[in-house]
Structure formats: C-alpha cells, structure tokens
Amino acid sequence: MNDDTIITGPLYASRKKVYPQATHGTFRTIKWAVLVLTLAVYYLTPFLRWDRGPNLPNQAVLIDMPHRRFYFFFIQIWPQEVYYFTGLLIIAAMTLFLMNAVAGRVWCGYLCWQTVWTDLFYAVERWVEGDRRERMLKDKKGFTIRHAYELGLKHFLWLMIAWWTGGAFVLYFADAPTLVKQLLTFQAPGIAYTWIGILTFTTYMFAGHMREQTCIYMCPWPRIQASMTDEWALNVSYESTRGEPRMSVKKADAARTRGLPAGDCIDCQQCVAVCPTGVDIRHGSQLGCIQCGLCIDACDNVMKEIGRPPRLIAYDTDINIQRRTQGLPPIYRPIRPRTLIYPVIIALVGGLMVWKLATRSDLGIDVLHDRNPMSMPMADGGVRNGYTVRLLNKQPNDRPIKLSVSGAPGLKLKIMDDPNPTEATVGPDQTLELRVMVIAPPDQVPDKAVDVTFTAEDPNGKTSVVTKDHFFPNG
C-alpha cells in the first residue's frame, strides 16, 4: 500500500436488518417447489420402509451406529466400504462445481439448507406479522400488545420447526416410529435429546436470526465460487445499457418523445426490497447475491405494469454484459471445457461406484501375518506360519465358510482351537476372527518366502473370495 493511500469509512459495518418483501413469478415458483420437495424428503424419508429380510432393519435409510452399517434402500454399506462415501463426496463437489460453471451460486439460491430453512422461516414471519411494510412499521412503532403476541407466536412456530428439524435428524440413526414413541414418552437415549437440542438451537439461530449473515460472513462457498467462476457462467445481472439512465415513467416517456435517452429502470427499489440478503443487483455482481432470481420476478412484474419488456434483470454472462456496451448481440457457450470435465468426472466416479456395488461379494476375508516370530520350526522338520484371519458375512443368516490355502506344494491350513480345521460358521451380518496356522511339511519347505493365497468359500462353492499374504520358511 502506498503511503499516500487514504482509507475512509469504517472497516466494520454493523448489520442492517433486512425485510424481504414477498413476490411472485417464475423463480419464486421454482423456489417454492424446491422448498416443498427438499423438506418433504428430509422430514419423511426416515419413515419409509424397505424389507431386507429377517434379522435386518426395515427402515429404508438408516445409519446404524451400534452395528456400524449404513442402509440406503437395497444398498448396505459396511465400515470397510468407506470409499463409497469418498465417491459421494467427489460427486457432490463436482456437481457443485458444475452448477457454478453453468449458473454461479444457483446452489445457494435454491438448494442450500440455509436458504431453504430461511425461506420457510420468512414465510412464517410474513404469515404472522405481515409483509415487508407491515413488519417495518411494527418494528418502528416499538412494543404493543398485538406486536408482542405476534412476536411470541412467530418465535413459537420457529422453535417448533427447528425442534422437528432436529427430531427428524436423529430419526436417521434409529428406527423412526420406535424412536418417536420413545421421545414422546421420555424413554429415548439421552444422546437423542442432546442432538435434538443442539439442532433445534442452530436451526432457530441460523434460519431465524442470522439469516443473510450466514451466507455473507460464515459460509466459505461465496469466496470459493468467486475464484472459480468465469465470464461464460450465467449470473443474475442488471442490463444497464437498457436500464440507464433511471427515471420515472412520466419523465421517461417525455424524454423518449424528445428523442433523449431514457432507461427502463424507474428506480422503484423492488429488486432490493425482495432480495433476502439486501443486495442491489444494479450495482453489479456482489458477494451477498445468492442468485435466487427473486429480483428478476420483482422487476418483471414492474415491467409488466409499465408496459416495458421483461428481463431487465436476468440470468446473463459477463461476456454479454460487455458485448451490449459495444452494441453486439449476446452469445452463449453452455458447452465448454469445464462444463464437460465435471460431468465426465461425475460419470466416471458414479460408474465406478455402480460397478463396484454390482460386483461386490457378500463374503469378505482379510489376513494378517504374525510379526513375531514370522515362522516357527516344527519337531518333524516342517515349518508353520501364524495368521489372523477375519471373515465377513454380509448375509442375514448363519453361514458356514470353508478356508483353504495355495501357492506352494504341500501347504496345509488349520484353524486353531476348532474341531473342524478348515471350516467355521460366521453369524448373520457379522465378522469372525480366527487364529490360523499354515504348515509346510518337512520335505516341501520352500527355500525362500513365497506368496500364498487364502480362499474363503461357501461349502457349495457358489461364492468365494481370496486374499494374498506371504509364507516364510524361517523366522
């Protein structure tokens, strides 16, 4: 910074309360549809049933922490398969990047949970206290009995929504109907009440009080998005070449009659009034704009009333904004490298996950070689190696499993402390850990360490899995 640079104004601005006004139009309808759909999915999904057979839960979506399982309809994920969640995170990130490449912060404007719940809280607020003007007047007048009643009712409804939001979250971790009954009779585990309390408080604070502050100051995505977007991405934009200079309808008509320039913007401030973050889109792209499109609806309604063409505010690109200042027609490039790369990554990762799910076995085996000693000589001149074998049975019933080893001539496998040296029974949906010895007879001890293959299979041979380890001739 140069010595002669002068900074004026405060470095911190206190919050100015935002009073978003209700509007109607294409984008408001889309937001209502998304809100209803996403909240219905969130609140109702725990109550969906899915028959998986005996000994397995019948809740369609369940995070079973005691048994370390995740159930999603016909899919069951074990702790060993955490890579599926890694794949989902990659897909989610690429989808977010793709949405940004196509239409900026459209995720923030329509699908972000902060936006959805804040929208719901705003709807309750308008229903109880009235629209923008009524709320501003009531806050300006201060305390009255009626206003106190309305405030009390509003906060009560907010708390009920927040409470059910927290309650719905814990239902994903236990059988929903059973847990609801336990919660109502105060017989649920303490951890359930704790998490409901935490999520009730955070939902109430974020959606009811912090609102646009969360989007502007707490969320990192606006900063990330600003560094990732390009000039071809669609963003909510004000067409200044058409809107300026601003003036009233009468003055604009008079100016056009005299052949003077007159913009379509009548400076009615409706675009600012409906914005949930209080942004004036006419000042250009800003950190607070969540690309929800409500200002487009508000401006279109005004343009319709004054008989001017719609979309003075619209989703547009930086390229087209520049081209209009040069008198050039708009152009669009929805298909470009980044809008192709992201779908390709999503398809590859998704395809790999689907292939892995389709080909995975309901039987698993892991082997760990003893470290000290690596091998033990036997009295007859043979050599044995010790291993810990862990068998995984993903079926909901008892399952006999036969073990064998191969890789060198004469190798024999024996399960320790078991009457059947090569076969064990694994319980339903369980793992079983076994101590196993692999023995090389005296005349067939290998000269050096060799790779050996452990095989676990059903006695009928329909399902088998293998894993490799080493056999050492001496310790």
Side-chain angles (χ1 to χ4, degrees):
M1 181 181 296
N2 298 329
D3 293 337
D4 58 352
T5 301
I6 299 176
I7 299 177
T8 59
L11 297 178
Y12 169 78
S14 59
R15 182 193 181 193
K16 184 178 179 181
K17 188 174 180 179
V18 178
Y19 296 84
Q21 180 175 298
T23 188
H24 63 275
T26 301
F27 299 101
R28 178 65 267 182
T29 301
I30 294 173
K31 281 176 66 65
W32 281 129
V34 171
L35 183 148
V36 171
L37 177 62
T38 52
L39 291 182
V41 169
Y42 176 75
Y43 289 125
L44 300 179
T45 295
F47 296 96
L48 298 178
R49 302 292 99 182
W50 188 270
D51 185 12
R52 298 183 179 89
N55 303 319
L56 289 176
N58 67 345
Q59 186 162 310
V61 180
L62 176 66
I63 304 171
D64 189 354
M65 298 297 287
H67 298 96
R68 295 179 294 175
R69 305 285 187 276
F70 172 66
Y71 299 96
F72 184 81
F73 294 91
F74 61 91
I75 299 172
Q76 179 183 170
I77 304 297
W78 286 59
Q80 299 90 332
E81 298 171 326
V82 68
Y83 46 81
Y84 287 114
F85 294 102
T86 303
L88 288 176
L89 289 174
I90 294 173
I91 291 175
M94 292 301 107
T95 302
L96 196 58
F97 297 162
L98 176 61
M99 295 173 73
N100 170 68
V102 173
R105 291 176 63 187
V106 67
W107 159 268
C108 301
Y110 295 89
L111 290 164
C112 175
W113 41 86
Q114 173 67 15
T115 297
V116 170
W117 264 276
T118 300
D119 235 5
L120 179 61
F121 275 45
Y122 273 137
V124 171
E125 186 173 61
R126 293 190 190 101
W127 179 67
V128 174
E129 293 188 80
D131 208 350
R132 170 185 166 87
R133 183 173 298 178
E134 288 85 351
R135 298 199 306 276
M136 294 177 70
L137 288 173
K138 289 173 182 177
D139 285 352
K140 188 176 181 179
K141 288 180 179 178
F143 180 83
T144 64
I145 295 177
R146 178 174 177 80
H147 194 199
Y149 165 75
E150 291 176 346
L151 286 175
L153 176 60
K154 177 183 73 174
H155 286 281
F156 171 76
L157 294 175
W158 280 0
L159 283 169
M160 290 298 97
I161 294 171
W163 171 76
W164 187 241
T165 299
F169 179 80
V170 301
L171 298 182
Y172 286 89
F173 293 83
D175 182 69
T178 303
L179 184 55
V180 168
K181 183 178 179 181
Q182 291 175 342
L183 289 169
L184 293 177
T185 57
F186 300 100
Q187 297 177 346
I191 190 67
Y193 292 107
T194 300
W195 274 107
I196 290 175
I198 292 172
L199 291 168
T200 298
F201 174 77
T202 53
T203 304
Y204 173 72
M205 290 302 298
F206 286 143
H209 295 277
M210 301 179 70
R211 296 180 170 179
E212 78 284 351
Q213 301 289 92
T214 303
C215 303
I216 297 173
Y217 296 111
M218 296 181 64
C219 180
W221 179 236
R223 283 84 182 166
I224 299 172
Q225 182 269 343
S227 66
M228 293 183 61
T229 193
D230 63 12
E231 65 274 19
W232 294 103
L234 291 168
N235 289 286
V236 175
S237 306
Y238 167 66
E239 191 178 331
S240 58
T241 54
R242 175 188 153 193
E244 304 294 329
R246 307 171 196 171
M247 58 186 71
S248 67
V249 176
K250 290 183 178 180
K251 289 183 178 180
D253 290 340
R256 292 187 185 102
T257 301
R258 296 195 301 269
L260 299 176
D264 284 350
C265 179
I266 60 174
D267 208 14
C268 63
Q269 299 288 320
Q270 285 299 295
C271 56
V272 182
V274 302
C275 180
T277 59
V279 165
D280 188 342
I281 196 62
R282 296 172 298 177
H283 294 164
S285 180
Q286 298 162 66
L287 187 68
C289 179
I290 60 173
Q291 308 292 328
C292 63
L294 294 182
C295 55
I296 301 176
D297 286 339
C299 188
D300 282 354
N301 292 335
V302 173
M303 292 297 106
K304 183 178 179 180
E305 288 180 9
I306 65 174
R308 303 301 296 170
R311 295 300 191 264
L312 176 60
I313 301 174
Y315 280 98
D316 207 352
T317 68
D318 290 344
I319 287 287
N320 287 334
I321 293 173
Q322 295 174 7
R323 288 177 63 85
R324 287 191 181 93
T325 62
Q326 301 167 7
L328 300 174
I331 58 174
Y332 298 94
R333 283 183 55 190
I335 306 301
R336 55 191 193 277
R338 67 172 58 194
T339 60
L340 292 175
I341 291 173
Y342 297 142
V344 168
I345 296 175
I346 292 171
L348 288 175
V349 175
L352 180 61
M353 291 173 62
V354 171
W355 172 79
K356 189 68 177 176
L357 281 170
T359 59
R360 69 175 180 172
S361 174
D362 58 5
L363 178 63
I365 181 173
D366 288 308
V367 174
L368 179 65
H369 197 293
D370 289 352
R371 296 304 177 194
N372 189 21
M374 301 294 288
S375 64
M376 288 286 292
M378 301 178 66
D380 61 358
V383 175
R384 70 180 186 183
N385 283 200
Y387 303 85
T388 299
V389 176
R390 183 177 287 106
L391 298 175
L392 172 64
N393 173 26
K394 297 180 182 178
Q395 291 186 356
N397 48 266
D398 288 336
R399 192 176 190 182
I401 303 298
K402 183 179 180 181
L403 286 176
S404 60
V405 65
S406 60
L411 291 181
K412 295 182 179 180
L413 180 144
K414 177 177 173 59
I415 301 174
M416 305 300 294
D417 303 323
D418 196 296
N420 191 329
T422 61
E423 189 173 301
T425 300
V426 187
D429 204 34
Q430 294 179 15
T431 60
L432 177 65
E433 194 170 277
L434 303 170
R435 286 287 297 140
V436 171
M437 292 295 172
V438 174
I439 303 168
D443 56 343
Q444 292 181 308
V445 176
D447 298 330
K448 58 182 180 179
V450 295
D451 292 336
V452 292
T453 299
F454 290 83
T455 302
E457 62 180 347
D458 289 331
N460 55 22
K462 289 184 177 180
T463 305
S464 65
V465 289
V466 299
T467 189
K468 291 183 179 295
D469 210 294
H470 306 286
F471 183 89
F472 298 92
N474 55 65

